[in-house]
Amino acid sequence: MSRQLPKTYNPQEVEEKWYQFWLEKGFFQVEVEKEKKPYCIVIPPPNVTGKLHLGHALNNTLQDILIRYHRMKGENTLWLPGTDHAGIATQARVEEELAKEGLTRYDLGREKFLARVWKWKEEYGGTIIKQLKQLGASCDWSKERFTMDEGCSRAVKEVFLRLYEKGLIYRGSYLVNWCPKCATTLSDIEVEHEESEGRLWHIRYPLVGGDGYIQVATTRPETMLGDTAVAVHPEDGRYRGLVGKKAILPLMNREIPIVADPMVDREFGTGAVKITPAHDLNDFELARRHNLPQVTVIGFDARMTAEAGKYAGLDRYEARKRVLHDLAEGGFLAGEESHLYALGTCYRCDMVVEPLISKQWFVRMKPLAEPAIRVVKEGKIRFVPERFTKVYLNWMENIRDWCISRQLWWGHRIPVWYCRDCQKEIAAGEEPTACPACGSGHLEQDPDVLDTWFSSALWPFSTLGWPEQTPLLEHFYPTSVLVTARDIIFFWVARMIFMGLEFMQERPFAEVLIHGLILDKDGKKMSKSRPETIVDPQDVIDEYGADTLRFTLATGTALGQDQRFQLERVEGVRNFANKIWNAARFLLMNLEDYVETGEKPENLSLPDRYILSRLQAVTAETGEMIDRYDLGGAANLLYDFIWSEYCDWYIEMAKPMLKTGGEERRRTQQVLVKVFRQIMVLLHPYMPFITEEIWQALPHAGESVMLAPWPEPEAGYRDAGAESEMQLLMDVVRAIRNIRAETRVDPGRKVEAVLLAGSVQRRILEENRLYLEVLAGLGRLEIRPEGTAKPDRAVSAVESGVEIYLPLAGLVDLAVERERLQKELAELETEKNRLAKKLENPQFLAKAPAAVVEKEKKKLAEVESKYEKVSARLAALS
RNA sequence: GGGCGAAUAGCUCAGGGGGAGAGCACUUGCCUUACAAGCAAGGGGUCGCUGGUUCAAAUCCAGCUUCGCCCACCA
């Protein structure tokens, strides 16, 4: 940064330069230092296919703020980065590419297809990492990991085998969520439910051996083809005689039993339910209790199977139309009504999910969930904000087994082989050469891969070296805090907790920081279906700089709360960056003769003592706020301090001092630099680039602001007296400026002021008259004792006990002045009465804390004094 | 069906038992040698509604209204 700075800050010229500098110096890289306190965050690994969106930008900004802060505090700080292989997303991306060449993955075969995906990953997988770097993320890139790298893959195998041996992973035929489009199973949380208006059809099932029928209701009439029973509640008097009898399934002419089960809700519909074990979870479970057969009528392609008789081959929705038509024709349709119900759709492709019976791998959740519940209940893992604890517990306590097999090729292959001769199932880390049971060499590996979240669940320890007992793992596990959006609690946070407890016998992190989502300017989710709502953070970085984006996101909202992204706010922050830039320019323009003394500046002026005192308070508060994760609060505090206090008041008061030259100039330079340099340090976690640029340009010691020690408040500079004396000055200046503005005094014109005040205030005003003159634009300033003569033809005000008179020749309209004072007097009276009434209340005096009563008394005294003065002035004018 | 969040200035949002805040927008005046992406001075709010607790409620409690989100195996 040269001494000839442009008037506006240009982030493009600055940001890349400093990021390269940090990288080259290796400042992000960390070695284990046992004697130091470890601080570690593992990044929520973005998908390799990913491009930075605003959610990532927020998530990583928050992490980087915490990381930079703790690093500056001298902790052994590691931010461990990496990416996720993202099974379905990545595979789909490459399949799209193939489709353009007229090929499918089956044309290539598994091996060639996977080679192609790896190639794609090498070529395009680094986009998001590049973008994180642009954002300023201070990750230790030398430790970057990938969920399918060698180490992570080894961890996955190890975990699978251990859980398998413990009986916590099993294979079985159950009803699973099947996405016909992605052609794979999905776990329960990968199915999204959207409530929508549907229809409920009533169907009559004729009774066997008699007349009459039993009437059932369904939202999915096509599944009736696979019905194997009708169920009623055991205590439902209406059907008591029918339990044990049979009904005839219309269209299929199959006899099905009428069974009794408490699952049935007597209040709903007719109280009789058709049971389709192969296509409905409730029915599946009921059927198991009653040993009912399963008839699969819908296949993996979402078309009707051979079991569906004449409907075989039809798409499920086409079949619904035909079935309804045929039911109506046969006189079985008893009616229909509209009905609200939740349709399950695939979280990736929005296809309506089909529940199907299929042989899949599952993780037995109950034994794993139990300690994961305990660790949170005992407070060993703390959610911030606290309310997310309940969300987590509620899910964990009602958890079902986790379907982990996916019918994809891209992912961690299930480490299980089957013997073709004796069907033995062999779980092993390496491909076995022969079947341990029959010795056959005809072995075949399970074709499926694991749910991507299976490997992410191991992330906090697999990335640190597990299953090896590495020094990294030993030092940094458990990690300090996990930062993530609230929509990922179930997918990831919960699973890391139980895996961490199971394999490390220790929680994976002490705290979970949950942040909200980024919404568009209208408060709606940014959605791919409405591209006009999407803001690309890359565009924001390119136009406004990463610092601006970071600060905007960090100050956007309170924790855990969603925030709207508005360009007006970005511009406001850009202006803030520019403000800082110009403050730096001002300093540098006035430092040609600066000498860093390294000593505490002496003979401080009131503004010096004030700003140094405030700096201590702000320093302490910033740290406290970051410690309690009020990152937005700390940022706003710095914003206000820098803009309102340092720039608007201190710099303005420093100007006359700089002009005096000599000792006062040198002292002012010391304070200007000391405070501003510290501000750059405090702001660095939020705006790493501009603070580095400016810090480097200022007189400084050390290689980089990111290595500067986080400042401790210096008690010696705390000065409550200076703060209140300064307050008086500021109040008086503002009062004079107010009169000038209201009476339309030419801003360039120097005016005369007469101040009347008590001895204490008179001393303060007298000592600082230079500031009053400069800041209020006074040509002449008289400071007199209270009660002495005052100008008659003057506009007046009372502020902090000081009477202010501006004898503005030619501008004073006494009638206007009287009116103004009367209005003020009325307001004062209201306030006086309110306070007096409060202080007359014996209950208040008896029960309110003494400090509060004192405060109110003092307030009343002030209001009364002001009232008297305004009143007297008014009398003098009449 | 259950749970959670929000409701404060025209807009977007902080705050949170004892003086209603910020940014933007608005009004007025200023290109004052750091910054017009700026400076100075203003206007603007029964803090969603109804009760309760308290000496004191925008803040705590209960209920209600509106909006949003999440969870759920009533077909």
Side-chain angles (χ1 to χ4, degrees):
Chain A
M1 185 155 151
S2 80
R3 295 286 155 119
Q4 292 295 317
L5 297 176
K7 280 176 121 178
T8 50
Y9 173 57
N10 185 356
Q12 287 75 20
E13 291 173 9
V14 166
E15 297 188 344
E16 202 190 331
K17 170 182 74 182
W18 290 118
Y19 201 85
Q20 281 311 317
F21 171 77
W22 296 327
L23 279 182
E24 280 161 21
K25 291 283 185 175
F27 290 158
F28 303 158
Q29 287 183 40
V30 63
E31 304 296 327
V32 169
E33 292 177 77
K34 283 197 169 146
E35 69 287 357
K36 279 194 186 172
K37 184 180 170 194
Y39 187 86
C40 178
I41 298 179
V42 289
I43 203 169
N47 290 354
V48 267
T49 51
K51 211 178 102 187
L52 194 76
H53 58 62
L54 282 171
H56 292 125
L58 170 65
N59 178 249
N60 289 290
T61 293
L62 298 181
Q63 291 177 78
D64 197 42
I65 290 167
L66 293 172
I67 285 289
R68 286 180 185 268
Y69 168 70
H70 283 273
R71 190 187 287 121
M72 290 165 97
K73 288 199 15 161
E75 293 166 26
N76 198 196
T77 302
L78 168 62
W79 187 10
L80 206 156
T83 48
D84 191 293
H85 66 278
I88 299 181
T90 312
Q91 175 163 329
R93 186 69 62 89
V94 176
E95 284 186 297
E96 269 166 39
E97 251 188 36
L98 286 179
K100 282 179 201 152
E101 303 162 26
L103 297 169
T104 70
R105 71 194 213 232
Y106 301 101
D107 295 328
L108 267 69
R110 188 161 192 144
E111 211 167 303
K112 279 189 181 155
F113 177 75
L114 287 179
R116 178 99 184 222
V117 182
W118 276 108
K119 190 171 153 244
W120 185 94
K121 187 244 168 195
E122 295 314 322
E123 233 168 284
Y124 305 105
T127 304
I128 195 154
I129 295 297
K130 265 184 233 140
Q131 290 182 300
L132 287 176
K133 290 176 178 175
Q134 275 186 291
L135 188 66
S138 60
C139 301
D140 183 347
W141 299 108
S142 73
K143 299 185 174 63
E144 181 180 342
R145 299 298 298 269
F146 177 55
T147 49
M148 272 173 68
D149 66 24
E150 218 185 308
C152 286
S153 300
R154 206 186 136 197
V156 165
K157 262 187 217 167
E158 186 74 26
V159 163
F160 185 98
L161 294 173
R162 289 202 205 171
L163 289 176
Y164 179 86
E165 278 153 25
K166 271 182 99 168
L168 293 178
I169 282 184
Y170 63 92
R171 186 171 183 239
S173 284
Y174 296 91
L175 199 69
V176 296
N177 308 297
W178 179 265
C179 174
K181 193 166 168 189
C182 299
T184 180
T185 51
L186 299 171
S187 68
D188 292 342
I189 47 174
E190 287 169 313
V191 178
E192 291 181 345
H193 295 272
E194 200 168 341
E195 195 127 285
S196 58
E197 183 85 26
R199 313 225 39 94
L200 185 68
W201 287 274
H202 293 266
I203 309 170
R204 298 185 188 115
Y205 287 12
L207 295 167
V208 172
D211 19 284
Y213 48 82
I214 187 163
Q215 189 175 313
V216 299
T218 182
T219 53
R220 298 197 60 195
E222 71 280 12
T223 64
M224 68 152 302
L225 303 171
D227 281 4
T228 58
V230 172
V232 296
H233 194 276
E235 283 149 37
D236 193 333
R238 292 172 291 178
Y239 300 112
R240 189 152 293 154
L242 293 181
V243 175
K245 299 237 165 81
K246 293 197 167 178
I248 296 166
L249 186 62
L251 310 184
M252 300 303 280
N253 292 318
R254 193 160 69 221
E255 289 191 6
I256 55 175
I258 298 170
V259 301
D261 192 285
M263 173 206 92
V264 179
D265 179 357
R266 277 174 283 182
E267 308 299 315
F268 190 91
T270 58
V273 195
K274 63 188 267 314
I275 300 300
T276 319
H279 299 287
D280 180 278
L281 187 58
N282 277 323
D283 297 2
F284 178 80
E285 286 173 359
L286 185 142
R288 283 165 67 101
R289 289 196 289 274
H290 295 266
N291 283 317
L292 297 168
Q294 304 159 340
V295 177
T296 297
V297 291
I298 303 171
F300 294 108
D301 53 359
R303 289 179 176 279
M304 306 311 284
T305 66
E307 298 268 23
K310 65 172 178 171
Y311 305 95
L314 291 178
D315 171 82
R316 51 187 166 168
Y317 296 112
E318 185 58 30
R320 176 178 300 177
K321 280 187 208 156
R322 297 280 191 89
V323 164
L324 283 169
H325 174 264
D326 294 349
L327 284 172
E329 215 157 63
F332 300 109
L333 204 55
E336 63 176 274
E337 54 187 301
S338 74
H339 177 67
L340 267 187
Y341 76 116
L343 202 60
T345 57
C346 173
Y347 82 126
R348 286 224 57 87
C349 73
D350 286 335
M351 181 75 161
V352 175
V353 166
E354 189 61 47
L356 289 175
I357 292 171
S358 169
K359 198 168 196 183
Q360 300 293 338
W361 288 94
F362 296 86
V363 175
R364 201 179 300 285
M365 283 309 307
K366 282 280 179 271
L368 291 168
E370 197 257 326
I373 290 167
R374 205 180 327 125
V375 77
V376 169
K377 278 193 171 163
E378 285 171 358
K380 291 188 180 126
I381 295 178
R382 194 170 73 93
F383 281 81
V384 181
E386 199 266 332
R387 64 186 142 93
F388 290 105
T389 309
K390 205 169 153 185
V391 177
Y392 167 85
L393 287 175
N394 184 48
W395 187 75
M396 216 39 142
E397 281 163 358
N398 296 295
I399 197 162
R400 313 169 69 96
D401 285 355
W402 174 17
C403 176
I404 50 170
S405 42
R406 296 288 179 276
Q407 289 62 53
L408 308 172
W409 288 353
W410 177 242
H412 298 277
R413 187 118 176 226
I414 291 175
V416 173
W417 284 260
Y418 307 105
C419 174
R420 276 191 226 165
D421 293 324
C422 73
Q423 321 316 322
K424 181 161 177 63
E425 187 177 289
I426 307 140
E430 300 283 319
E431 175 160 10
T433 48
C435 172
C438 71
S440 161
H442 292 155
L443 301 176
E444 198 173 9
Q445 187 171 5
D446 192 299
D448 291 351
V449 301
L450 291 165
D451 182 357
T452 301
W453 296 101
F454 190 91
S455 53
S456 333
L458 320 180
W459 192 246
F461 50 94
S462 64
T463 52
L464 291 171
W466 192 91
E468 299 294 320
Q469 266 306 316
T470 60
L472 215 56
L473 184 65
E474 198 176 318
H475 189 59
F476 287 111
Y477 192 95
T479 65
S480 308
V481 59
L482 185 93
V483 184
T484 192
R486 57 147 206 268
D487 57 347
I488 227 84
I489 294 175
F490 305 142
F491 280 105
W492 194 43
V493 179
R495 287 163 175 170
M496 281 188 289
I497 292 176
F498 66 70
M499 287 296 198
L501 291 171
E502 174 70 15
F503 290 95
M504 294 297 297
Q505 288 76 50
E506 168 71 281
R507 59 192 177 162
F509 28 72
E511 293 180 311
V512 183
L513 184 62
I514 305 286
H515 60 254
L517 275 25
I518 309 279
L519 308 175
D520 67 20
K521 63 179 167 53
D522 302 315
K524 298 254 164 48
K525 271 190 189 173
M526 289 189 187
S527 133
K528 280 176 196 152
S529 60
R530 291 175 303 126
E532 73 281 2
T533 64
I534 295 181
V535 174
D536 185 343
Q538 187 67 56
D539 296 341
V540 180
I541 291 174
D542 291 345
E543 188 172 354
Y544 298 96
D547 282 336
T548 294
L549 176 62
R550 291 167 62 113
F551 199 88
T552 304
L553 292 171
T555 52
T557 181
L559 219 53
Q561 217 58 45
D562 292 347
Q563 66 171 300
R564 299 184 192 198
F565 192 83
Q566 297 177 112
L567 226 45
E568 293 80 6
R569 289 197 53 246
V570 178
E571 282 172 4
V573 174
R574 185 267 318 264
N575 295 352
F576 174 55
N578 198 50
K579 185 77 184 175
I580 297 168
W581 181 252
N582 278 290
R585 283 180 65 220
F586 172 78
L587 258 65
L588 294 170
M589 287 164 120
N590 286 283
L591 294 180
E592 315 84 54
D593 54 336
Y594 176 84
V595 181
E596 178 93 21
T597 63
E599 288 161 19
K600 281 201 170 187
E602 286 177 10
N603 301 319
L604 295 172
S605 69
L606 175 60
D608 292 338
R609 288 187 287 128
Y610 155 82
I611 200 71
L612 286 166
S613 178
R614 288 288 305 136
L615 177 67
Q616 307 318 316
V618 167
T619 299
E621 259 183 273
T622 301
E624 284 160 18
M625 286 171 131
I626 296 177
D627 286 339
R628 74 174 112 96
Y629 295 117
D630 184 3
L631 303 186
N636 283 323
L637 179 72
L638 291 169
Y639 181 99
D640 289 340
F641 178 67
I642 293 166
W643 201 313
S644 310
E645 299 191 72
Y646 185 77
C647 291
D648 288 349
W649 285 102
Y650 184 71
I651 287 187
E652 289 309 314
M653 293 179 129
K655 283 177 182 174
M657 291 296 108
L658 289 170
K659 279 184 193 141
T660 60
E663 176 56 33
E664 284 182 322
R665 176 177 168 87
R666 281 193 293 279
R667 187 201 67 227
T668 302
Q669 287 172 328
Q670 299 295 322
V671 178
L672 275 168
V673 170
K674 177 179 167 64
V675 176
F676 201 58
R677 198 161 50 199
Q678 186 156 328
I679 287 172
M680 291 306 101
V681 174
L682 295 174
L683 193 61
H684 179 258
Y686 290 86
M687 304 182 105
F689 297 107
I690 191 172
T691 51
E692 182 76 292
E693 174 78 5
I694 292 173
W695 187 89
Q696 295 280 354
L698 290 171
H700 65 276
E703 269 192 291
S704 163
V705 67
M706 68 165 283
L707 303 182
W710 187 260
E712 287 292 323
E714 296 171 80
Y717 284 121
R718 286 306 263 275
D719 191 338
E723 289 187 29
S724 75
E725 286 186 17
M726 183 70 179
Q727 196 58 51
L728 175 71
L729 278 195
M730 296 194 289
D731 288 343
V732 170
V733 166
R734 261 193 287 252
I736 297 172
R737 284 171 172 173
N738 183 354
I739 294 173
R740 294 181 58 122
E742 301 244 307
T743 51
R744 306 285 151 85
V745 176
D746 177 352
R749 179 176 151 192
K750 300 273 190 206
V751 301
E752 180 189 346
V754 179
L755 306 182
L756 271 66
S759 61
V760 175
Q761 293 175 322
R762 219 158 59 237
R763 175 190 58 78
I764 300 165
L765 296 169
E766 199 59 69
E767 282 173 9
N768 295 286
R769 62 184 304 135
L770 175 62
Y771 302 116
L772 290 171
E773 286 164 6
V774 172
L775 297 182
L778 303 178
R780 209 169 92 85
L781 171 61
E782 244 186 87
I783 301 168
R784 301 178 189 162
E786 272 179 313
T788 56
K790 50 202 79 167
D792 278 338
R793 288 197 70 83
V795 184
S796 70
V798 179
E799 187 55 60
S800 308
V802 177
E803 289 172 61
I804 299 163
Y805 296 91
L806 265 60
L808 299 166
L811 288 173
V812 184
D813 179 333
L814 291 181
V816 171
E817 180 66 0
R818 267 196 296 274
E819 203 179 311
R820 207 173 56 85
L821 291 171
Q822 260 152 5
K823 205 176 145 203
E824 193 177 0
L825 200 64
E827 280 165 15
L828 285 168
E829 187 163 12
T830 310
E831 181 67 2
K832 195 171 72 147
N833 292 341
R834 190 184 67 83
L835 288 165
K837 200 177 155 198
K838 198 170 186 179
L839 284 161
E840 278 160 20
N841 181 354
Q843 296 279 26
F844 173 69
L845 295 174
K847 297 199 177 175
V852 171
V853 176
E854 262 329 290
K855 211 171 144 193
E856 296 295 301
K857 278 186 180 163
K858 204 177 151 203
K859 237 191 289 180
L860 179 61
E862 275 163 20
V863 171
E864 274 174 343
S865 147
K866 189 164 180 180
Y867 181 87
E868 292 313 316
K869 282 172 176 150
V870 172
S871 179
R873 171 66 182 161
L874 200 52
L877 288 182
S878 303

